[in-house]
Amino acid sequence: MADGQRFDDEVLITLLRRLTVESDRFAEMFAEVHGVHRTDMNALAVIMDAAKAGTPLSPTALAAALNLSNSATTSLLDRLERAGHVERIRSARDRRKIELRMRDQARELGIAFFAPLRQELLAAWRDLPDDHRAVIGRFLTTTIDATVTARGRFVEP
Amino acid sequence: MADGQRFDDEVLITLLRRLTVESDRFAEMFAEVHGVHRTDMNALAVIMDAAKAGTPLSPTALAAALNLSNSATTSLLDRLERAGHVERIRSARDRRKIELRMRDQARELGIAFFAPLRQELLAAWRDLPDDHRAVIGRFLTTTIDATVTARGRFVEP
DNA sequence: GCAGGAAATTTCGGTGACCGAAGGATATGG
DNA sequence: CCATATCCTTCGGTCACCGAAATTTCCTGC
């Protein structure tokens, strides 16, 4: 019965909405289980991305990325430092600046976060042939672009 | 150069993550522009879904759906009622109960929320043939299921 | 038909994340 | 060196949220 379904625009939009809602729930549940806030998870993700890119992150840059005030970012970093996820290091060249370094603990938390989801996703996609992956990849890319564009429309319509 | 890209598991996971991040940002920005909280948006979505299903929603059921305490839900409903989005109606049969009714204003807010995004998405998908839509639809469905399963693994592993 | 308990919601007091403004500390230009 | 800018933190206040107690209404056994 399932295979006969027509995937018109409405159905795709509904599926997209369900996907984002479920992803959100997953992240929220994970944060709750591990006793951290959603904001903290997002902050760790930003810091981790910066570490991957080799760019040491500053509190101000983090605040901008999270759309958060500087003062709120200070207490966020207090929390993360107290929990042992992050280290504040005064820059040697400009001693006003602070560089944020992740501790291994946080990296392990990130892996623990994604491992179960990752495993399920890989299993779900195991039999996808390359041409289907190409279709899906282009779909995701254009959909991401559309979302970004739609957000831009609000800021400067 | 884009068409030669290989969409292996890693690439798809990255795209999926970017998609959820961008969707989140879109919702957050919309909430901020309209002076409501994220929680309020989620609450309106739940209430709207219930209205579509024809099931009048109670504050307690809303609290459960939002994973929120009853007292927090009370003040949330105070906000929504004060803003004119929702109406509290005492149930005629059981006068302890409250039924939540959406006002047209909130429905219009929801439409205003989705309209720009919807327009962009439809444009992005305009030329998708049916067989591609089927591939995408199955992908989204299995991915949603995988996410739900992964969340279940945490609760009772 | 009424005492006692259950159910649905609200009120109350307290906690903590967040914001804006003011306050150091360090760097840079004249 | 003094003035100004930059970066971060501290401070006081606001508001969403929580847990527990209070309120209103329903239901059951006697």
Side-chain angles (χ1 to χ4, degrees), chain B:
Chain B
M1 48 178 157
D3 274 313
Q5 182 169 5
R6 286 214 40 230
F7 292 101
D8 58 15
D9 288 333
E10 299 312 315
V11 175
L12 289 185
I13 282 183
T14 302
L15 287 175
L16 214 51
R17 180 159 159 241
R18 280 185 51 209
L19 175 62
T20 57
V21 167
E22 285 305 332
S23 300
D24 208 58
R25 278 193 190 168
F26 180 82
E28 187 138 355
M29 184 223 50
F30 184 88
E32 190 169 344
V33 166
H34 284 74
V36 295
H37 297 265
R38 257 329 265 290
T39 305
D40 301 18
M41 305 270 308
N42 293 339
L44 287 177
V46 170
I47 296 172
M48 206 177 304
D49 284 353
K52 243 180 223 167
T55 316
L57 203 66
S58 76
T60 304
L62 180 62
L66 296 175
N67 198 26
L68 218 61
S69 75
N70 283 347
S71 54
T73 305
T74 294
S75 50
L76 182 155
L77 290 173
D78 288 347
R79 288 200 300 273
L80 291 182
E81 201 171 35
R82 214 178 308 131
H85 294 318
V86 153
E87 225 176 342
R88 281 176 166 111
I89 301 177
R90 289 221 92 93
S91 165
R93 338 192 122 196
D94 186 339
R95 292 184 44 75
R96 291 170 304 180
K97 291 184 184 168
I98 296 255
E99 291 174 6
L100 301 174
R101 200 165 63 191
M102 289 195 61
R103 311 195 62 171
D104 291 346
Q105 194 182 120
R107 209 172 308 275
E108 285 160 17
L109 188 69
I111 291 173
F113 178 29
F114 280 114
L117 181 56
R118 179 189 169 83
Q119 184 182 336
E120 290 296 331
L121 292 179
L122 295 193
W125 304 341
R126 192 185 302 129
D127 297 330
L128 271 182
D130 277 354
D131 55 337
H132 285 197
R133 287 171 184 266
V135 168
I136 292 160
R138 284 195 296 270
F139 168 81
L140 291 175
T141 304
T142 57
T143 300
I144 291 166
D145 290 346
T147 306
V148 173
T149 303
R151 177 155 55 94
R153 286 278 163 81
F154 269 108
V155 184
E156 33 173 336

Side-chain angles (χ1 to χ4, degrees), chain A residues 59-60 71 88 96 98:
Chain A
T60 305
S71 54
R88 281 177 166 110
R96 292 170 305 181
I98 295 255

